[in-house]
Amino acid sequence: MHCLPEAIPADRGNGGSNNAKNGTSAARDSFQRVVPVKCPAPTPRPTTLGKFAGAQTAMFEGWGYAAWFATVIGVFELLGAIGLLIPRLTRPAIYGLTGIMIGAAYTHLANGEAPQLVRPLIFTALLWSIWWLRRDPSTD
């Protein structure tokens, strides 16, 4: 059922236009005029900027960190991602991102969120698999 305002006027101002034309049925419209449907409040969607736009500051504050720390972590994650794209910087980027993942794992453990350990562990394994696939066996 579609969410509609609480009060629906009997005449929607369309001059009695054909309901089939706009894709609604007359029976549904009549029902919704009698029984208004309340919509739940829309849930906020995370932005694509995430830590840069302050979308996760409440989460960081809940863990006991300052709000600005989310932005710092986001900047270091972005720098690490750029470093992964540059072969000469791959290893330092992996070290830095691994440090961030260790910090994330510690944060989840310290706050009783043990099931959340899966993500940092998977990301760390992926980081080191990147190093393994990009390494030069002749220099190691």
Side-chain angles (χ1 to χ4, degrees):
M1 183 168 303
H2 296 286
C3 291
L4 297 173
E6 284 190 48
I8 302 170
D11 180 15
R12 293 190 177 171
N14 59 6
S17 68
N18 184 0
N19 280 333
K21 179 179 173 184
N22 63 13
T24 61
S25 71
R28 187 181 69 213
D29 286 347
S30 298
F31 175 76
Q32 288 177 339
R33 280 190 197 102
V34 175
V35 182
V37 178
K38 290 185 180 180
C39 298
T43 56
R45 293 184 177 186
T47 64
T48 54
L49 298 175
K51 294 173 184 148
F52 299 109
Q56 296 181 341
T57 56
M59 199 166 42
F60 272 68
E61 288 175 338
W63 290 325
Y65 297 113
W68 56 265
F69 192 63
T71 303
V72 171
I73 293 296
V75 168
F76 283 127
E77 287 176 348
L78 180 63
L79 290 173
I82 292 169
L84 290 175
L85 299 174
I86 302 169
R88 190 172 190 181
L89 298 177
T90 299
R91 185 175 280 192
I94 290 172
Y95 289 151
L97 291 171
T98 299
I100 291 172
M101 292 301 109
I102 290 170
Y106 169 77
T107 298
H108 290 305
L109 275 176
N111 289 284
E113 301 172 351
Q116 297 297 325
L117 285 174
V118 174
R119 277 181 289 180
L121 293 175
I122 289 173
F123 291 144
T124 303
L126 289 173
L127 287 169
W128 286 95
S129 66
I130 290 171
W131 171 79
W132 180 260
L133 293 172
R134 286 195 176 175
R135 69 182 173 79
D136 183 11
S138 64
T139 60
D140 286 340

